[in-house]
Amino acid sequence: MFSMTGYGKGEYREGGIELTVEIKTVNNRYLDVSFKSPKLFIACEEPVRQRVREQLTRGHADIFVNFVDKREKPKTLYVDENAARGWAAAAAKVKALFPNLTDDFTLSAMMKCADVVRTEEVTEEDDTLPSALFSALSAALEKLNAMRAKEGEKLAADMLSRMDTCEELVQKISARAPQVAENYRAKMQERLREVLAGVEYDEARLLTEAAVFADKANIDEELTRLKSHISQFRAICGEERVGRKLDFLIQEFNREANTICSKSNDLEVTGAALALKNEIEKIREQVQNVE
């Protein structure tokens, strides 16, 4: 079992390349990947997303790429001829306006003028960077999954502990349920005796009414399904990607608990069913953290 919340960091430092990939994940119903990197890695965005999709099925993942290139690269000097002509023309015009001023506008001065000479790196296709990126990404994903697995163990332990409580409550309801119809019959008979004191009444009709009530209040099917759900829940918790399965199963738990509450005419059964709903809600909150 994996938690949807985690953090992983991977680094690549070799040959003057310093590259770091950080991944942060939080809860989300579906998988959503955000990729933030220098423009140099734009072409790698979709392959990165695909690699993440291979590891994650749910949650929001933020991926941050930091890159420093300390390699020495060949450079070239670019001369902007139009800019040079503009500066030369401007110098000539100023000299014409002020002929008495000393002219020290030399070639060296021209080369220092803005935009006349620019330094540019020789750009070549660099296969090293994508390799470095995916190396750091793999390390980050490995650490991320290690953290998510560790957190998942804690979530599983907590939910299974609460499931034990659910099982105890279901057993309590199961033990109490057969007495509900009998208690109803006894209460009805006692009330009839009070109301119809000294008057004969149809005992068979009383038994029929009690039988009808017992049929309406019967929760055997709900209890059977709850016991099955508990068994399934424990089995699913042994798998890896279980979030959607558990989410669906918890909805079924809630449905059965609600039905028991609506059918119940007994304080003990109602109290146990409400306690069961409370435990189910706590488990549901934890399921929202599971991938």
Side-chain angles (χ1 to χ4, degrees), residues 26-88:
V26 294
N27 299 354
N28 199 52
R29 187 174 181 181
Y30 304 103
L31 179 61
D32 178 39
V33 181
S34 173
F35 181 71
K36 298 179 181 178
S37 73
K39 292 182 179 180
L40 194 62
F41 296 98
I42 289 179
C44 298
E45 181 171 352
E46 186 53 36
V48 167
R49 290 178 182 273
Q50 181 59 36
R51 182 72 63 86
V52 173
R53 284 194 288 265
E54 293 172 359
Q55 298 291 323
L56 308 178
T57 58
R58 292 210 303 174
H60 175 81
D62 284 311
I63 304 173
F64 303 95
V65 179
N66 293 312
F67 171 66
V68 177
D69 193 346
K70 294 183 177 181
R71 296 174 297 175
E72 292 188 4
K73 295 183 178 181
K75 298 180 180 180
T76 184
L77 295 178
Y78 171 76
V79 178
D80 190 328
E81 296 181 7
N82 291 330
R85 290 191 181 94
W87 281 102

Side-chain angles (χ1 to χ4, degrees), residues 71 140 224 249:
R71 296 174 297 175
T224 299
L249 195 57

Side-chain angles (χ1 to χ4, degrees), residues 4-255:
M4 279 193 281
T5 303
Y7 172 81
K9 180 178 180 180
E11 296 181 332
Y12 180 95
R13 296 178 182 275
E14 189 175 328
I17 296 176
E18 296 183 2
L19 192 149
T20 302
V21 175
E22 295 179 272
I23 305 177
K24 176 183 176 183
T25 60
V26 294
N27 299 354
N28 199 52
R29 187 174 181 181
Y30 304 103
L31 179 61
D32 178 39
V33 181
S34 173
F35 181 71
K36 298 179 181 178
S37 73
K39 292 182 179 180
L40 194 62
F41 296 98
I42 289 179
C44 298
E45 181 171 352
E46 186 53 36
V48 167
R49 290 178 182 273
Q50 181 59 36
R51 182 72 63 86
V52 173
R53 284 194 288 265
E54 293 172 359
Q55 298 291 323
L56 308 178
T57 58
R58 292 210 303 174
H60 175 81
D62 284 311
I63 304 173
F64 303 95
V65 179
N66 293 312
F67 171 66
V68 177
D69 193 346
K70 294 183 177 181
R71 296 174 297 175
E72 292 188 4
K73 295 183 178 181
K75 298 180 180 180
T76 184
L77 295 178
Y78 171 76
V79 178
D80 190 328
E81 296 181 7
N82 291 330
R85 290 191 181 94
W87 281 102
K93 187 173 183 180
V94 171
K95 184 178 180 180
L97 291 173
F98 305 99
N100 296 327
L101 294 179
T102 302
D103 182 5
D104 61 352
F105 190 69
T106 62
L107 178 61
S108 297
M110 169 72 77
M111 293 184 67
K112 294 178 182 178
C113 293
D115 299 328
V116 172
V117 180
R118 296 196 303 270
T119 302
E120 295 183 344
E121 293 183 351
V122 178
T123 57
E124 298 178 355
E125 188 173 348
D126 194 341
D127 296 331
T128 306
L129 296 184
S131 176
L133 173 63
F134 285 103
S135 175
L137 177 64
S138 296
L141 285 170
E142 184 177 349
K143 292 178 182 178
L144 170 70
N145 283 335
M147 177 180 286
R148 295 196 309 125
K150 187 175 182 180
E151 183 66 21
E153 290 178 3
K154 296 179 181 178
L155 291 173
D158 180 74
M159 291 189 293
L160 289 173
S161 174
R162 295 189 183 280
M163 192 53 60
D164 290 341
T165 302
C166 289
E167 186 174 38
E168 293 173 3
L169 291 169
V170 170
Q171 291 174 348
K172 182 178 180 180
I173 295 172
S174 297
R176 177 67 180 172
Q179 303 176 32
V180 175
E182 178 60 27
N183 291 344
Y184 178 76
R185 187 195 65 77
K187 289 179 182 179
M188 181 181 290
Q189 191 172 35
E190 181 64 27
R191 289 174 184 174
L192 285 173
R193 285 172 180 170
E194 293 176 0
V195 175
L196 304 175
V199 179
E200 292 185 3
Y201 59 88
D202 189 350
E203 183 73 20
R205 178 64 181 274
L206 173 63
L207 293 175
T208 301
E209 289 292 332
V212 171
F213 170 79
D215 183 62
K216 290 181 178 179
N218 186 281
I219 54 175
D220 288 346
E221 291 184 11
E222 287 76 16
L223 291 172
T224 299
R225 284 193 287 268
L226 280 172
K227 291 173 183 177
S228 174
H229 294 340
I230 290 171
S231 177
Q232 292 179 57
F233 189 95
R234 287 170 173 160
I236 291 172
C237 281
E239 302 174 12
E240 286 191 351
R241 268 77 180 182
V242 298
R244 289 189 175 90
K245 290 182 181 179
L246 293 182
D247 194 34
F248 172 77
L249 195 57
I250 285 299
Q251 293 180 41
E252 296 301 305
F253 267 102
N254 259 322
R255 183 177 291 109

